[in-house]
Amino acid sequence: MAKAPVLTPQAEDFPRWYQDLINKAELADNGPVRGTMVIRPYGYGLWERMQQEMDARIKDAGAQNAYFPLFIPQSYLTKEAEHVEGFAPELAVVTHGGGKELEEPVVVRPTSETIINDYFSKWVQSYRDLPLLINQWANVVRWEMRPRVFLRTSEFLWQEGHTAHATYEDARDYAARIHTDVYGDFMTNVLGIDVVLGRKTAKERFAGAINTLTLEGMMGDGKALQLGTSHELGTNFAKAFNTQYLSKEGKQELVWQTSWGVSTRMVGGLIMSHGDDNGLRVPPRLAHVQVVVMAIKGDEAVAKVRELGDQLKAAGIRVHVDDRVDTPFGRRAVDWELKGVPVRIEIGPRDLENGTAMLARRIPGGKEPVQITELLDLLPKVLDEDQAQLLRESRERRESRTSDVATIEEAAEAAIAGGWARIPWADLGPEGEAKLAEQAVSVRCLIAEDGSVPEADDAPGTLAIVARSY
């Protein structure tokens, strides 16, 4: 009798495969309140690495980290009409505290534009105070009707950046810088996901923004996942909160603003972009465990893997030593394969006699014996090759499953079949976008013919990327 697979095969049931992987790889559990999640240590390690890589890029862009309260007076959200309308169905509202009814209900933050703008209005007085570039790492709550771990949860972790500028041009350029230099660089070169950078349509734009820039990734089943957004807020929040500055010319002017964020949804994107029927595959540049050194059995093997682990750590490789020889080797190997650690180095008594180790590569697959003395030179090359392979696979999948179409019907057909469609926005327009929505198909973003981000929805030659999405 054939052995049952550890995971439901992707081709059989992709959503079930996703849930199986999260469970078997010990990434997360469902929380006790519907729509919440418990992120387990290995899953949180992935998020921590994402934080580290993102935080460095955010600081390179000039932003500083701060922290703002979890609770926001309900009256703050009503100051910007589009904003409150956009978030009203998702709000969690606290009406009682300390055993008493509150004088004013407070909202558990869904995002922090309103409370941060209240403080921006106090902190910004002169053009000398601009630009003001703030980022915070926090949790937010958006009451989710159809939860799915990492992808859509009522509480999730993220970073949210908020900035104030003297001119429209400065704000526009900064939002674009975050879009490309921070998010685009990270997702392409660390996550290994070949994201499309584009512009949201008016229908899909962030509530209260004048423009939203997005990064869309194609998942293993052909659906799109929005992995991050950067918004131009214009002066909408500045008007609502009276955030003004004294210009060089001595005039009171409204600030121009941006906001931008990515979340633990990226962990879900990582799983669905790179995972296979054997589990997760983690890009080496992201992995908090790049190499696991495993003792198969025997005291001498245990001593050797510990020694080798120290050498690899000293060389700057993120390594974990698995010397649990009281646990069957096969079970441990399957566990690490499920977790997607890029490289396993396996050493047993016979390997020690030959001065070799078995090198198992998770991303391309396969095993080969190598000299232990060659590992320090070999591993950086292997990790670079495997990082490049994941990005190449992501790009090839997107290109092979994206069709150029001429009609709304063809666009819907391509999306429903499990791919993306490119169609001229002039041929689709808001009316066509509404027709696609009736079939659970959406315009993920607008791009220019050369793949760049168009300056306006109606820019000549603008193409719409159409797909089903998570």
Side-chain angles (χ1 to χ4, degrees):
M1 180 182 293
K3 188 176 181 181
V6 177
L7 304 174
T8 300
Q10 289 185 353
E12 180 180 313
D13 188 336
F14 194 84
R16 172 50 56 190
W17 165 84
Y18 177 79
Q19 295 295 337
D20 283 353
L21 197 159
I22 287 173
N23 179 41
K24 296 291 180 63
E26 300 179 335
L27 301 179
D29 272 327
N30 290 312
V33 175
R34 185 179 182 275
T36 62
M37 63 177 170
V38 174
I39 306 176
R40 299 185 67 175
Y42 190 80
Y44 198 81
L46 297 173
W47 175 240
E48 284 183 311
R49 284 286 303 144
M50 291 179 183
Q51 283 183 300
Q52 291 163 14
E53 291 282 348
M54 291 290 303
D55 198 59
R57 287 165 173 77
I58 289 168
K59 287 172 178 170
D60 283 346
Q64 294 179 297
N65 286 338
Y67 186 78
F68 293 83
L70 173 68
F71 296 123
I72 301 172
Q74 192 172 43
S75 59
Y76 280 29
L77 270 77
T78 62
K79 291 185 179 182
E80 212 292 323
E82 283 187 59
H83 192 65
V84 69
E85 183 180 353
F87 280 101
E90 302 174 339
L91 297 180
V93 183
V94 179
T95 58
H96 289 72
K100 298 180 180 179
E101 185 173 356
L102 302 179
E103 291 184 10
E104 177 185 353
V106 296
V107 172
V108 183
R109 67 172 162 235
T111 179
S112 298
E113 275 77 9
T114 56
I115 193 166
I116 288 178
N117 271 277
D118 184 57
Y119 285 87
F120 275 13
S121 68
K122 299 175 183 178
W123 297 345
V124 175
Q125 303 297 324
S126 161
Y127 70 90
R128 297 183 183 89
D129 300 322
L130 299 172
L132 179 55
L133 313 174
I134 295 293
N135 176 64
Q136 79 164 343
W137 292 94
N139 62 335
V140 291
V141 171
R142 299 178 185 177
W143 215 253
E144 182 57 55
M145 296 298 103
R146 297 183 303 277
R148 185 174 296 181
V149 173
F150 289 123
L151 299 178
R152 292 186 178 278
T153 48
S154 295
E155 179 192 10
F156 54 89
L157 306 180
W158 78 343
Q159 62 74 212
E160 52 178 315
H162 300 268
T163 70
H165 305 261
T167 66
Y168 159 73
E169 291 79 10
D170 194 32
R172 176 201 62 196
D173 292 348
Y174 194 80
R177 180 180 180 184
I178 294 295
H179 188 221
T180 56
D181 296 355
V182 177
Y183 294 163
D185 178 71
F186 168 72
M187 292 175 191
T188 302
N189 295 315
V190 179
L191 288 188
I193 301 176
D194 184 53
V195 289
V196 170
L197 282 69
R199 177 188 181 100
K200 285 291 189 184
T201 64
K203 177 180 179 294
E204 297 289 335
R205 198 175 290 155
F206 178 72
I210 62 171
N211 182 32
T212 290
L213 304 172
T214 184
L215 301 99
E216 303 286 331
M218 180 183 279
M219 303 296 99
D221 61 351
K223 288 185 179 180
L225 183 69
Q226 177 182 292
L227 287 160
T229 47
S230 180
H231 315 288
E232 298 173 44
L233 302 179
T235 58
N236 290 342
F237 288 89
K239 291 174 184 174
F241 287 85
N242 195 31
T243 310
Q244 301 185 60
Y245 71 97
L246 188 67
S247 70
K248 291 181 180 179
E249 294 72 30
K251 295 181 180 180
Q252 287 291 328
E253 303 279 0
L254 291 169
V255 298
W256 295 80
Q257 293 181 263
T258 77
S259 68
W260 27 276
V262 295
S263 74
T264 38
R265 169 178 281 205
M266 290 192 298
V267 179
L270 173 75
I271 295 167
M272 294 193 297
S273 290
H274 300 318
D276 62 19
D277 284 348
N278 294 316
L280 185 57
R281 294 189 301 166
V282 181
R285 290 179 190 163
L286 176 72
H288 56 296
V289 179
Q290 294 175 310
V291 176
V292 58
V293 187
M294 302 180 66
I296 297 175
K297 63 179 180 179
D299 293 342
E300 291 184 4
V302 167
K304 188 61 180 180
V305 299
R306 290 174 179 172
E307 175 190 336
L308 182 57
D310 290 340
Q311 293 172 351
L312 296 180
K313 287 177 185 176
I317 294 172
R318 296 187 289 277
V319 63
H320 177 84
V321 173
D322 184 348
D323 55 8
R324 300 170 296 162
V325 291
D326 56 342
T327 301
F329 172 77
R331 175 180 171 182
R332 289 185 285 141
V334 169
D335 285 346
W336 290 117
E337 187 166 68
L338 281 165
K339 288 178 166 63
V341 172
V343 173
R344 298 196 313 273
I345 299 171
E346 304 168 356
I347 299 177
R350 187 175 300 174
D351 301 295
L352 287 175
E353 291 176 6
N354 299 326
T356 62
M358 190 63 71
L359 180 70
R361 295 171 64 174
R362 177 67 182 90
I363 292 163
K367 288 185 177 185
E368 62 176 334
V370 297
Q371 293 294 315
I372 292 176
T373 55
E374 296 176 358
L375 284 170
L376 283 176
D377 291 331
L378 179 63
L379 284 174
K381 299 173 186 176
V382 165
L383 294 173
D384 284 346
E385 288 174 2
D386 293 354
Q387 179 78 32
Q389 177 172 331
L390 287 178
L391 179 60
R392 184 170 61 251
E393 289 179 3
S394 176
R395 179 174 296 120
E396 289 172 352
R397 177 174 60 240
R398 180 180 61 80
E399 291 177 346
S400 67
R401 298 177 72 169
T402 300
S403 307
D404 287 300
V405 302
T407 68
I408 297 172
E409 293 73 22
E410 289 174 339
E413 183 179 343
I416 292 169
W420 290 9
R422 275 188 301 255
I423 183 172
W425 176 242
D427 295 340
L428 184 65
E431 291 185 4
E433 184 177 19
K435 290 180 180 178
L436 288 174
E438 294 173 0
Q439 301 182 68
V441 175
S442 60
V443 177
R444 303 313 305 156
C445 64
L446 303 175
I447 62 170
E449 289 179 318
D450 64 359
S452 62
V453 181
E455 294 184 1
D457 292 8
D458 57 358
T462 296
L463 300 172
I465 300 293
V466 172
R468 285 192 162 173
S469 66
Y470 284 95

